[in-house]
DNA sequence: TTCCCATACTCAAGAATATGACTAATCATA
DNA sequence: TATGATTAGTCATATTCTTGAGTATGGGAA
């Protein structure tokens, strides 16, 4: 039940509609969690029923009406409890790694292709995150911002996302290179 | 349906029982996927019914009997198909990141504690992976092994696991430091 | 002026994953 | 000589996540 808390955490920075949250959780700008729109709408409904978030209708003329949600005091208390409890460890679960694990026994060509593609996706995220970090610290020096900024949570998780994507990019490029070299100069075992 | 292929990939390196796989997938030594014992036993049963793995009973006197599984030719063909198809992108999903995201609005102390704990766990995994890499390349030079080794898949995924855990360790230590410093020298905003 | 895209959301069903409880034997430890 | 850990699994249930389809409106491009 951690999507619940991810939504609460995402709503700490203001009022958002399900649609807005959905975009953030889908693209992975909210790089601390991932979820589909359907999950988010359902979760928001549950959270509102529990009184952990409060929604208000915003009538729009040019667009469909929307509901904006904010965290209630009870919601914040629930987050507090969640943070104090033990975290379940996080695990890697990645199709591409499964393919690399098997790469000696299957055709390497499509795996090499997918490694390149993944590397490009990771590189794109690296750029996005780097720009986001600059925006979040508002031009200030990083050390200064981390020491005295008033809202550093999103910055810290973005740092994690940045490190993760850099690692992904570098690993994919390196492994693709290794596999290409083996394909070019085959087995003189 | 990727647990299926993770199991197939794990069985490429020999015959294993459900119990052995369960340990590997639980601890995360099989660092390319994670699954619980119940999932694995169920998956092995399904895979055997589909003819993708073959099991044989091994009678033991001092221990309960066990069933060892190996990948069939059809299983290998299935892996081949899987590798050629597109991978679904992998996403971060981590309780601890949710807590860090919220850290400005809740008590930071338990989060700092959990960051330290997670850093220690990651450091332990780094050591395990480093030793595993040495064992996998059998004393050979890494570049030489990657160029001419006969089974590099597990080595490559282990490299990814190592990079991931190093990143995790460093990030956790850095963030814990940042949060401790803010707790010691509080807000003169 | 038709078609696609963005906004904003809902419903249903299915697949995958997690939780908890159980059996049953041997082995080491206190 | 209890106690707990390790080996080797099974069963049932609950939660979570994914897939697919659908509703409705307005704006911009072809």
């Amino acid at each position: 039940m951690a999507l619940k808390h991810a939504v609460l955490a995402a709503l700490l920075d203001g009022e958002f509609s399900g649609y807005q949250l959905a975009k953030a959780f889908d693209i992975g700008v909210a790089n601390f969690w991932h979820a589909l729109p359907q999950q988010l709408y359902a979760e928001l409904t549950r959270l509102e029923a529990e009184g952990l978030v409060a929604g208000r209708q915003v009538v729009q003329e040019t667009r469909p009406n929307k509901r904006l949600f904010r965290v209630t005091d009870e919601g914040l208390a629930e987050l507090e409890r969640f943070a104090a409890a033990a975290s379940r460890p996080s695990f890697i679960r990645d199709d591409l790694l499964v393919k690399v694990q098997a790469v000696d026994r299957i055709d390497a060509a499509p795996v090499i292709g997918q490694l390149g593609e993944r590397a490009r996706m990771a590189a794109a995220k690296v750029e996005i995150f780097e720009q986001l970090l600059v925006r979040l610290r508002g031009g200030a020096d990083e050390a200064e911002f981390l020491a005295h900024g008033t809202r550093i949570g999103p910055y810290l998780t973005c740092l994690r996302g940045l490190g993760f994507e850099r690692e992904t990019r570098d690993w994919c490029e390196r492994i693709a290179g290794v596999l290409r070299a083996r394909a070019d100069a085959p087995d003189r075992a």
Side-chain angles (χ1 to χ4, degrees), chain A residues 8-44:
Chain A
L8 288 173
L11 288 176
L12 287 178
D13 291 295
E15 286 187 319
F16 297 101
S17 67
Y19 190 78
Q20 285 174 292
L21 284 181
K23 273 201 301 183
F25 276 75
D26 187 41
I27 303 168
V29 168
N31 43 66
F32 58 98
W33 204 265
H34 168 259
L36 298 171
Q38 293 93 322
Q39 280 177 273
L40 290 166
Y41 286 116
E43 195 63 53
L44 285 168

Side-chain angles (χ1 to χ4, degrees), chain A residues 56-126:
Chain A
R56 65 183 180 92
Q57 181 89 5
V58 174
V59 178
Q60 300 184 117
E61 269 143 40
T62 147
R63 297 264 157 229
N65 297 341
K66 62 181 172 184
R67 283 163 61 61
L68 294 183
F69 295 91
R70 61 174 183 81
V71 178
T72 63
D73 291 346
E74 297 96 276
L76 196 57
E78 173 59 33
L79 256 184
E80 193 86 48
R81 273 193 297 280
F82 171 69
S87 304
R88 47 165 106 161
S90 79
F91 292 109
I92 290 182
R93 220 171 235 171
D94 188 341
D95 276 15
L96 191 47
L97 284 184
V98 173
K99 295 172 186 182
V100 169
Q101 175 83 13
V103 79
D104 306 293
R105 305 287 302 276
I106 60 175
D107 182 15
V111 179
I112 293 170
Q114 291 176 46
L115 283 166
E117 200 187 326
R118 181 69 69 88
R120 282 190 295 279
M121 285 167 47
K125 279 208 172 185
V126 165

